[in-house]
Amino acid sequence: MLTWLWIAELAFALAAYVVLDGFDLGVGILSGFIGNMSLRDEMLATISPVWDGNGTWLVIAGTIMWGAFPPVYSIVLPALYIPLAVMLIGLIMRGVAIEFSHRAGQSRWVWDMLLFVGSLLAAFMQGVSVGTYAQGLPVSQLRYTGTGLEWCSAFPLWCGTALVLGYVVLGAGWLVLKGEGRLQQFGRTAASRLAPLAMLFAASIFVTTLVAHREVEARWLAHPALFVLPLLCLLTFFGSSQTARSGSARLPYALAAASCLLLLLTLAASLLPYVVPFDVTIFDAAAPESTQKFMFWGAGLFVLPLIVVYTYVAYWVFRGKVSREHGYH
């Protein structure tokens, strides 16, 4: 019973991270295409109050994996040392750039460049990591037996590009939601143009996965109702583009977030009960029951609900439209 609880909490943490930190990484990438410094300051003001809290969900997901599913942690980490290290470098660059750009003078261009490059690196390497995981890792007796370079192939790199596009659409939707005037119009233009491209990338990943993995193909053909998930994912990306054009303030972000959640659901539907495709199941990887109970009384019962409350309060306090004058700094 507790094993499924930890799977649910891990899925919740990953979904929260993608939906929340995804938009501020997307905004960071979009900032590289803004030449007007005043407009860039408004853009940063939309994410300044929340970007650091959003990253907490990635830490929670890693902690749950380490404590509740240690074999998965021991397999995935060495397989992804390089992309995860580059991702962390990108996240550090993004965080430092956000803090320093508000105080910089002549060096402002350096921090603006680091914000763009750091956000792009972090987003791309997260997609590469997901693609490497989804294509399967060499495992023998719950031990990783690969070279650490499985990510250097077409499918993971394609997934990295797809996730960058997905995050950019999320970021554009966030600018539509939080911005006004020129900033909001920039978000609408970006969302309307890039959401269809993200939709095409997502469709190509679905098709490639079905063709490359017979286990996934067999599962989906045996349960045709599962095809509703990718179809809804593609439709919500399309809807994000259309609502950005139509003038809605909330729907572009909401539909882009729904697309990302549907992508995660599609991945889960394709793999579960495997947590390392297609070698290690949830129950193979689960920690001893005593460990899971110990985690439950701390992380499960108090820490996760506390982070949820903190996140809600932060977004409630900083609700509404923002501008350069009303930013966090």
Side-chain angles (χ1 to χ4, degrees), residues 51 64 79 85 89 102 115 120 123 129 136 149 168 177 186 200 212 232 262 266 269 276 290 302 304 306 309 318 322:
W51 71 268
I64 292 173
I89 291 171
H102 293 278
L115 173 62
L120 182 62
S129 299
L149 297 176
V168 168
L177 178 65
F186 174 81
L200 291 176
L232 285 176
L262 286 164
T266 303
V276 177
S290 57
F302 295 104
L304 187 66
L306 183 63
V309 172
F318 294 101
V322 300

Side-chain angles (χ1 to χ4, degrees), residues 98-241:
I98 289 175
E99 296 299 332
F100 276 70
S101 63
H102 293 278
R103 298 168 174 84
Q106 294 182 346
S107 64
R108 172 64 187 268
W109 68 273
V110 176
W111 306 112
D112 289 341
M113 180 185 66
L114 287 179
L115 173 62
F116 168 73
V117 173
S119 300
L120 182 62
L121 278 178
F124 181 72
M125 286 304 173
Q126 286 176 18
V128 168
S129 299
V130 173
T132 306
Y133 167 80
Q135 75 177 1
L137 299 171
V139 176
S140 177
Q141 297 180 348
L142 297 182
R143 297 177 67 89
Y144 172 67
T145 58
T147 63
L149 297 176
E150 286 78 18
W151 60 275
C152 294
S153 59
F155 183 73
L157 297 176
W158 190 255
C159 289
T161 306
L163 192 62
V164 168
L165 283 171
Y167 280 176
V168 168
V169 174
L170 268 176
W174 183 254
L175 295 179
V176 173
L177 178 65
K178 301 291 285 186
E180 294 180 306
R182 292 181 302 163
L183 182 61
Q184 187 180 70
Q185 186 56 46
F186 174 81
R188 291 190 186 282
T189 302
S192 62
R193 292 180 179 178
L194 294 175
L197 188 58
M199 180 180 69
L200 291 176
F201 268 76
S204 68
I205 289 172
F206 292 143
V207 173
T208 301
T209 303
L210 286 175
V211 172
H213 294 291
R214 296 303 177 189
E215 300 91 340
V216 175
E217 180 187 18
R219 175 176 297 188
W220 284 69
L221 292 178
H223 304 89
L226 291 175
F227 283 96
V228 172
L229 292 175
L231 288 175
L232 285 176
C233 175
L234 300 180
L235 286 174
T236 47
F237 267 129
F238 180 75
S240 180
S241 172

Side-chain angles (χ1 to χ4, degrees), residues 23-52:
F23 76 71
D24 61 55
L25 287 173
V27 169
I29 296 169
L30 287 170
S31 71
F33 300 92
I34 291 286
N36 185 294
M37 186 175 294
S38 176
L39 196 60
R40 192 183 296 116
D41 285 339
E42 289 185 40
M43 182 180 288
L44 289 181
T46 67
I47 64 173
S48 293
V50 294
W51 71 268
D52 47 355

